[in-house]
Structure formats: structure tokens, C-alpha cells
Amino acid sequence: GECSAFKERFMECLRRSGYESTACRQRAMAYLECRMERRVQLMANEPLEKLGFKDLINEKSEEKPEK
């Protein structure tokens, strides 16, 4: 249940978007990251790029302010 909040946010997004998964990719990525970080036994640790989130990872790193 450690990642259930992430799952609920993803599922709520799906319901609001008429189950259009592309509208919820950020939440899907956050849910998968949670599962991998907490070593939930249902998901092996995989690079998010391999899971189809390379474009979102690039956006995320561009949003971080420079030091």
C-alpha cells in the first residue's frame, strides 16, 4: 500500500480524462517510480526511458533551476 496514493491519483486522472492514458503520463510515471523505488515485488527496477517516459524525463530535468 506504499504507492496507493500514486495509484489513486493516476486512476482519478484516467477517470477525468475519459480513460485517455496519454493525458496521465506524468502520474503513471510517478506511480511506476514509486513502485520501483520501494522495491515493490511486483515491479523490477527498470530505467524509465525503457518504459516510454524518456520525453517526460527530459522535461523534468529542464524544469530544475540551474545552480
Side-chain angles (χ1 to χ4, degrees), residues 25 29 36 46-55 57-58:
R25 290 182 69 229
M29 185 175 78
M36 289 186 291
E46 287 287 337
L48 290 169
E49 294 88 355
K50 283 188 167 182
L51 298 174
F53 295 105
K54 184 175 183 173
D55 60 321
I57 294 167
N58 291 338

Side-chain angles (χ1 to χ4, degrees), residues 12-47:
E12 177 60 30
C13 180
L14 284 176
R15 285 188 286 273
R16 279 184 287 141
S17 70
Y19 294 94
E20 181 61 45
S21 62
T22 56
C24 305
R25 290 182 69 229
Q26 289 282 356
R27 289 190 173 99
M29 185 175 78
Y31 174 55
L32 294 175
E33 281 181 308
C34 177
R35 288 179 58 119
M36 289 186 291
E37 286 172 4
R38 287 166 177 77
R39 305 223 182 262
V40 175
Q41 301 223 343
L42 297 176
M43 174 132 203
N45 199 358
E46 287 287 337

